[in-house]
Amino acid sequence: QVQLVESGGDLVQPGGSLRLSCAASGFSLDDYAIGWFRQAPGKEREGVGCSSSSDGTTYYGDSVKGRFTISRDNAKNTVYLQMNSLKPEDAAVYYCARGSSCVGTLKYWGPGTQVTVSS
């Protein structure tokens, strides 16, 4: 069965860094686009970025450009979200999701991992 599990969420200070992992099972991750999303309490889900399966192109939301980076480790069937220069407004539950492309619907989602940014 298709499964995605996020990990790596933690409490960090503003300006700190975290690397989130999205571990896939039941399918080969590199056959699919993987998107990262986040949702803070009382807020709508926000797109963070997406990694295309076709050519490895990555896309990022305006609020995280220059600070966040998506990468893939095919051997581990895992996608990473490296988050640098974290801001309090980055605090949210972060989710990864699988889809056929970054522009299409990302149908399968992980349960999320909590990122807290506070001094």
Side-chain angles (χ1 to χ4, degrees):
Q1 186 176 3
V2 172
Q3 184 171 312
L4 297 167
V5 179
E6 304 91 342
S7 63
D10 203 354
L11 170 65
V12 298
Q13 294 184 348
S17 297
L18 280 176
R19 188 178 75 164
L20 305 184
S21 299
C22 175
S25 60
F27 68 99
S28 180
L29 191 150
D30 61 6
D31 290 333
Y32 295 89
I34 300 296
W36 283 96
F37 297 80
R38 65 188 184 187
Q39 187 166 24
K43 301 286 186 68
E44 293 184 353
R45 183 177 296 150
E46 176 187 13
V48 174
C50 187
S51 173
S52 173
S53 64
S54 59
D55 59 6
T57 302
T58 53
Y59 308 90
Y60 300 96
D62 289 340
S63 64
V64 306
K65 286 180 180 177
R67 300 189 297 122
F68 291 11
T69 304
I70 300 170
S71 62
R72 294 174 180 251
D73 185 332
N74 293 329
K76 295 184 179 295
N77 210 30
T78 299
V79 173
Y80 301 99
L81 178 66
Q82 178 67 47
M83 305 185 295
N84 298 325
S85 302
L86 283 162
K87 304 174 181 179
E89 51 263 44
D90 294 320
V93 177
Y94 282 72
Y95 303 89
C96 62
R98 189 196 86 172
S100 60
S101 71
C102 287
V103 73
T105 300
L106 281 69
K107 186 176 181 179
Y108 294 93
W109 294 73
T113 186
Q114 177 71 53
V115 173
T116 302
V117 185
S118 177
S119 60

